[in-house]
Amino acid sequence: SDSDSDSDSDSAMFGSKKSAAASSPSSGKQISEELQETLLQDPRVQQSLVNAGEAALKDPEVQRQIIEACKDRFPEYAAEAKAQVKVWANDPKVQAKAKSMAKAAVQFIGSAGEQILK
């Protein structure tokens, strides 16, 4: 039947390695790299990243803060964010970016404190 061949071509087109969590059918909206950076720069996310240390995006509190920031700032992407934070947690490039941003935030906060004390 035609429906069987359609499902075969869909799985071939999307590849069997792609996890179901990577693309949420509920929203259909992809989170761009710019949106990802905006979420990672959210003050709540930054603070949780600093607190998480080496765990960074694998820390459940960091993931929760990213989802909350997304709900507040980009509600249309909230469903996708729930799936994406798990993917980001296992992506070495995104982990490195998050750690770098957290380190920069700590340095900025530290230098701001020094300026206040002068």
Side-chain angles (χ1 to χ4, degrees):
S1 82
D2 287 342
S3 63
D4 289 343
S5 63
D6 287 348
S7 64
D8 290 345
S9 65
D10 286 349
S11 64
M13 186 169 64
F14 293 113
S16 58
K17 291 181 182 175
K18 187 173 184 179
S19 94
S23 63
S24 169
S26 59
S27 69
K29 292 185 179 288
Q30 284 294 93
I31 294 181
S32 67
E33 203 167 312
E34 293 81 23
L35 181 58
Q36 178 191 71
E37 282 195 25
T38 301
L39 291 172
L40 292 175
Q41 290 171 349
D42 184 275
R44 295 169 291 186
V45 174
Q46 287 288 306
Q47 186 60 52
S48 62
L49 279 167
V50 170
N51 294 341
E54 277 303 303
L57 295 174
K58 292 186 179 188
D59 186 281
E61 181 60 20
V62 173
Q63 293 181 10
R64 192 177 73 75
Q65 292 298 338
I66 291 170
I67 293 166
E68 288 301 312
C70 192
K71 282 182 188 173
D72 291 348
R73 299 173 76 179
F74 309 101
E76 67 274 22
Y77 290 96
E80 185 65 21
K82 288 180 182 179
Q84 282 299 119
V85 293
K86 305 269 189 247
V87 174
W88 296 345
N90 293 305
D91 183 328
K93 289 194 308 194
V94 181
Q95 276 279 31
K97 184 191 305 185
K99 288 178 184 178
S100 173
M101 291 173 136
K103 187 180 278 186
V106 168
Q107 290 171 346
F108 175 78
I109 291 166
S111 65
E114 289 173 19
Q115 294 299 317
I116 291 169
L117 294 174
K118 286 185 177 179

